Amino acid sequence: QVQLVESGGGLVQAGGSLRLSCAASGSIFSINLMGWYRQAPGKQRELVATITSGGNTNYAASAKGRFTISRDNAKNTTYLQMDSLKPEDTAVYYCNTRGILIASLDFVSWGQGIQVTVSS
């Protein structure tokens, strides 16, 4: 029903930057919440940041001051600008969206995940 395509991951040195993108497509009427989660090896998936359709943002403590989430509602796309990256930011990053389908059904969709590796 809803497809998410993530891009922008890769390998970067500590202190560097990466920008992740996530584009949603499908039978979407509206997207209420878009966000990013991450999962490091041997750890549980954790919230990184979320943004509402109105632009209200929420960040994990580890992301505050270094990461910036934004979205383009017209393109159903969310971005995660990650600056001052640390080796502990290494993880698979997942895009998540929640909203309403054209058929008036709620949906929650996850991306396939994208690897971010920060070398020391």
Side-chain angles (χ1 to χ4, degrees):
Q1 300 275 5
V2 177
Q3 297 78 42
L4 301 181
V5 177
E6 300 153 330
S7 61
L11 173 65
V12 65
Q13 288 187 333
S17 298
L18 283 174
R19 188 190 193 213
L20 305 183
S21 299
C22 172
S25 63
S27 303
I28 300 169
F29 176 74
S30 65
I31 298 178
N32 301 325
L33 190 70
M34 304 187 85
W36 293 91
Y37 292 72
R38 68 186 183 186
Q39 188 167 18
K43 295 187 177 181
Q44 290 189 332
R45 190 174 298 188
E46 62 179 8
L47 170 73
V48 176
T50 61
I51 185 168
T52 68
S53 57
N56 293 318
T57 58
N58 179 51
Y59 293 93
S62 59
K64 283 183 180 179
R66 300 187 300 124
F67 294 2
T68 303
I69 189 170
S70 60
R71 65 188 280 176
D72 184 332
N73 290 330
K75 295 181 179 180
N76 285 338
T77 299
T78 183
Y79 307 95
L80 184 68
Q81 176 67 40
M82 302 186 292
D83 299 318
S84 302
L85 283 161
K86 305 174 181 179
E88 50 264 44
D89 294 317
T90 295
V92 177
Y93 284 69
Y94 296 90
C95 177
N96 173 267
T97 63
R98 302 164 187 256
I100 303 172
L101 298 174
I102 292 175
S104 299
L105 300 172
D106 294 339
F107 75 87
V108 178
S109 185
W110 288 92
Q112 78 281 3
I114 190 165
Q115 179 69 45
V116 171
T117 302
V118 184
S119 63
S120 58

